[in-house]
Amino acid sequence: MKDATKLLKRHPANPIIDPKDHPGVYTIFNPSPVMYKGKTVLLLSMTYWKARTAETRVATSDDGIHFAIADKPFINLEGLPYPYNIVNLNVIDNRVTPIGDTFYIATPVSTDRYDTAVTVLGKTKDFKKYEVIDIIALPRNRGVSLFPRKIGGKYYRLDRPGAGTGCYGSIWLGSSTDLIHWGEFRPL
């Protein structure tokens, strides 16, 4: 196995988006970088001291070092009908996968009725408008990651079931013909 410190080097400008630069924010996660129209796009998970909530904001960069962060949350499930009105507490840890001209976003979302997150699948074409598709994973499943293309006519994903139960090392494979109905689950 190669030593990662010899393969990878941090950029000298250290392009980290730091909570100390954003009043009221106590953590920022920088998951799922994607390229869109020549820009680096991040869906930032930002958690706040005061409200003890988390939200997703879009950050864009021309150079991959200096980012502009949107003023408003990108994913907002408030006002949507049941069951989305109960799964809007902490919208964090997004996984973005481009398929064709659409960016699919799998997001673990905390609820006020269950003991852990469910995964909501949504999509965007421009990182301005977000559209919910459906809930695609039951509670205790964080970290659904879609494959970027069909294999043998099916979509595939990796899951991390058992969140919060000490099963963080378990990864499962699942398939779907429509991105909503999933099955054929197998441990990896």
Side-chain angles (χ1 to χ4, degrees), residues 55-82:
E55 65 188 20
T56 295
R57 294 202 185 195
V58 174
T60 57
S61 172
D62 291 324
D63 61 10
I65 299 168
H66 306 93
F67 286 86
I69 301 173
D71 294 332
K72 295 182 181 174
F74 173 60
I75 298 172
N76 187 349
L77 304 175
E78 283 184 38
L80 292 179
Y82 179 86

Side-chain angles (χ1 to χ4, degrees), residues 10-130:
R10 183 175 298 279
H11 191 280
N14 196 23
I16 301 295
I17 299 170
D18 197 309
K20 73 177 188 254
D21 299 326
H22 304 278
V25 173
Y26 73 92
T27 58
I28 297 177
F29 304 95
N30 298 331
S32 289
V34 293
M35 295 302 293
Y36 172 69
K37 292 191 174 182
K39 294 183 183 262
T40 301
V41 176
L42 301 175
L43 292 186
L44 298 180
S45 299
M46 302 176 81
T47 56
Y48 296 88
W49 283 109
K50 203 172 206 178
R52 288 287 183 196
T53 60
E55 65 188 20
T56 295
R57 294 202 185 195
V58 174
T60 57
S61 172
D62 291 324
D63 61 10
I65 299 168
H66 306 93
F67 286 86
I69 301 173
D71 294 332
K72 295 182 181 174
F74 173 60
I75 298 172
N76 187 349
L77 304 175
E78 283 184 38
L80 292 179
Y82 179 86
Y84 305 105
N85 60 347
I86 65 165
V87 297
N88 196 36
L89 292 181
N90 290 313
V91 180
I92 61 169
D93 245 2
N94 306 281
R95 308 288 192 266
V96 181
T97 306
I99 302 174
D101 66 346
T102 303
F103 293 86
Y104 291 91
I105 305 158
T107 304
V109 182
S110 296
T111 74
D112 59 359
R113 297 200 185 166
Y114 305 106
D115 61 349
T116 188
V118 300
T119 300
V120 174
L121 183 65
K123 65 182 179 179
T124 187
K125 289 186 181 258
D126 59 8
F127 292 96
K128 291 184 171 80
K129 183 180 179 224
Y130 172 83

Side-chain angles (χ1 to χ4, degrees), residues 167-180:
C167 297
Y168 288 112
S170 298
I171 297 182
W172 286 63
L173 180 72
S175 68
S176 171
T177 57
D178 62 5
L179 291 172
I180 297 171

